[in-house]
């Protein structure tokens, strides 16, 4: 899965997912973000939500239609007030659709695809999101049968397929590491985009936890809880250069996570592509 945008802890996060036509958080309205009508907001801190009015207003100015913003139920009314204040300053009503959504609830984004939030553990009300997709697959008992036999079974009215719900993408937003321990779907998602703000001894695990963030030390101690498909670390502290991020993570990764973990860089409009080399930074 490809991502564009940027994410710097305490500064701005706006991660575009072009294949799903959505954006994860809106701390800055990047040039390409306006093309995506759906924004999933993890929490109310301004580096994650501060550019929502600009995003909606720019889309309206460009006749792109109403935008939809999914937000934790605890902050949805404040988000509406933010839009109203921005509209008064701008001399217009800013078209938007704000949807309060809580963990366990669902929002459909396509015929066989939906979003469901999960609980996260930050300093303010927060949540992550998983994009789910319903797929059809051959039942286990029919695996390996020739096509002619499968066609015969279908003609005979035998149900040879079953539906399965697949977690396509999980985005943690800002959180403590407990999210890995308490959210089983993260172990099975095809792509896990997770905050990993602090990387070395410059910030202790205790200090990371006190601010509601994840330290790389904690992730490495829980390596067994990561999926073995695609893990993208992001939201690094501004104290690290992009080159430091790439070097530190590469040096500290155990062999079992090489080819699994990538890092999303801090430069705007970079793209992270899993088809590229096994470990890379979006800022290459």
């Amino acid at each position: 899965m490809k991502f564009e945008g940027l994410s710097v802890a305490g500064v701005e996060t706006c991660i575009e997912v072009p294949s799903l036509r959505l954006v994860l958080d809106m701390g800055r309205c990047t040039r390409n973000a306006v093309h995506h009508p759906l924004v999933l907001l993890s929490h109310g801190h301004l580096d994650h939500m501060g550019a929502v009015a600009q995003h909606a207003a720019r889309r309206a100015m460009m006749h792109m239609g109403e935008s939809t913003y999914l937000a934790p139920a605890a902050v949805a009314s404040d988000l509406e007030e933010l839009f109203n204040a921005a509209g008064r300053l701008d001399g217009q009503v800013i078209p938007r659709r704000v949807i309060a959504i809580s963990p366990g609830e669902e929002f459909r984004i396509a015929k066989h695809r939906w979003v469901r939030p999960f609980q996260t553990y930050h300093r303010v009300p927060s949540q992550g999101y998983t994009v789910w997709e319903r797929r059809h697959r051959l039942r286990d008992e029919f695996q390996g049968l020739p096509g002619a036999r499968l066609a015969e079974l279908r003609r005979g009215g035998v149900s040879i397929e079953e539906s399965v719900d697949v977690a396509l993408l999980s985005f943690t937003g800002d959180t403590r590491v407990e999210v890995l321990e308490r959210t089983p779907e993260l172990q099975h998602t095809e792509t896990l985009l997770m905050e990993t703000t602090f990387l070395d001894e410059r910030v202790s695990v205790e200090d990371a936890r006190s601010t509601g963030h994840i330290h790389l030390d904690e992730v490495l101690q829980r390596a067994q809880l990561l999926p073995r498909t695609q893990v993208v670390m992001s939201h690094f502290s501004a104290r690290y250069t992009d080159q430091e991020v790439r070097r530190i993570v590469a040096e500290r990764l155990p062999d079992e996570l090489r080819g699994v973990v990538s890092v999303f860089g801090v430069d705007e409009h970079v793209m992270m592509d899993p088809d590229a080399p096994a470990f890379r930074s979006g800022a290459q």
Side-chain angles (χ1 to χ4, degrees):
M1 187 168 290
K2 297 179 180 179
F3 304 99
E4 296 180 356
L6 71 168
S7 182
V8 183
V11 181
E12 50 202 2
T13 290
C14 175
I15 302 175
E16 305 149 37
V17 191
S19 62
L20 299 177
R21 297 197 66 215
L22 59 80
V23 184
L24 304 169
D25 282 336
M26 187 57 63
R28 175 178 173 184
C29 184
T30 58
R31 180 174 297 179
N32 289 335
V34 297
H35 297 287
H36 305 304
L38 176 62
V39 180
L40 311 182
L41 298 166
S42 63
H43 64 289
H45 282 158
L46 292 181
D47 58 315
H48 291 260
M49 190 182 283
V52 288
Q54 184 186 26
H55 177 260
R58 285 177 62 185
R59 282 182 51 83
M61 179 183 67
M62 299 170 70
H63 305 289
M64 290 182 169
E66 185 179 67
S67 307
T68 299
Y69 302 89
L70 270 58
V75 306
S77 61
D78 290 332
L79 179 58
E80 285 282 17
E81 289 184 23
L82 188 154
F83 274 115
N84 291 335
R88 288 192 297 270
L89 290 169
D90 205 38
Q92 64 164 325
V93 174
I94 299 176
R96 81 280 183 175
R97 181 185 179 203
V98 174
I99 296 179
I101 189 168
S102 299
E105 298 178 342
E106 296 179 355
F107 179 80
R108 190 159 296 276
I109 60 175
K111 183 177 181 181
H112 299 294
R113 193 174 288 168
W114 63 96
V115 173
R116 187 163 65 219
F118 54 87
Q119 184 178 359
T120 56
Y121 308 92
H122 196 37
R123 294 185 294 113
V124 296
S126 64
Q127 61 193 29
Y129 295 89
T130 294
V131 179
W132 293 86
E133 182 175 81
R134 180 155 295 166
R135 297 175 183 172
H136 299 283
R137 69 180 183 188
L138 201 62
R139 293 181 183 273
D140 290 343
E141 60 266 35
F142 302 116
Q143 297 285 342
L145 292 181
R149 175 55 179 158
L150 294 175
E152 179 182 352
L153 290 169
R154 284 195 184 95
R155 289 194 296 270
V158 177
S159 175
I160 65 173
E161 292 184 332
E162 63 182 353
S163 296
V164 57
D165 294 342
V166 176
L168 289 181
L169 168 66
S170 297
F171 168 62
T172 67
D174 290 6
T175 182
R176 293 195 300 273
V177 76
E178 282 86 337
V179 71
L180 291 179
E181 302 166 344
R182 301 176 186 177
T183 318
E185 68 202 54
L186 301 186
Q187 300 176 37
H188 308 290
T189 186
E190 291 187 349
T191 299
L192 172 60
L193 179 56
M194 65 178 298
E195 175 241 307
T196 316
T197 301
F198 301 110
L199 302 175
D200 60 16
E201 71 284 350
R202 278 174 275 184
V203 175
S204 68
V205 169
E206 292 74 19
D207 286 343
R209 291 185 58 78
S210 71
T211 62
H213 291 298
I214 295 175
H215 196 291
L216 180 59
D217 286 0
E218 299 175 292
V219 178
L220 298 180
Q221 292 166 1
R222 296 163 176 79
Q224 76 279 6
L225 299 179
L226 298 177
R228 292 305 187 263
T229 44
Q230 182 189 10
V231 177
V232 182
M233 295 180 177
S234 67
H235 194 267
F236 304 109
S237 167
R239 59 176 38 84
Y240 306 112
T241 67
D242 210 46
Q243 291 71 29
E244 285 182 306
V245 168
R246 185 166 49 218
R247 175 183 59 79
I248 294 168
V249 176
E251 288 176 353
R252 301 197 62 197
L253 277 182
D255 289 342
E256 64 189 283
L257 293 181
R258 296 187 185 278
V260 174
V261 173
S262 300
V263 297
F264 186 73
V266 299
D267 289 347
E268 184 180 358
H269 302 310
V270 298
M271 178 176 287
M272 204 293 297
D273 186 346
D275 296 327
F279 180 84
R280 62 164 290 181
S281 163
Q284 287 186 353

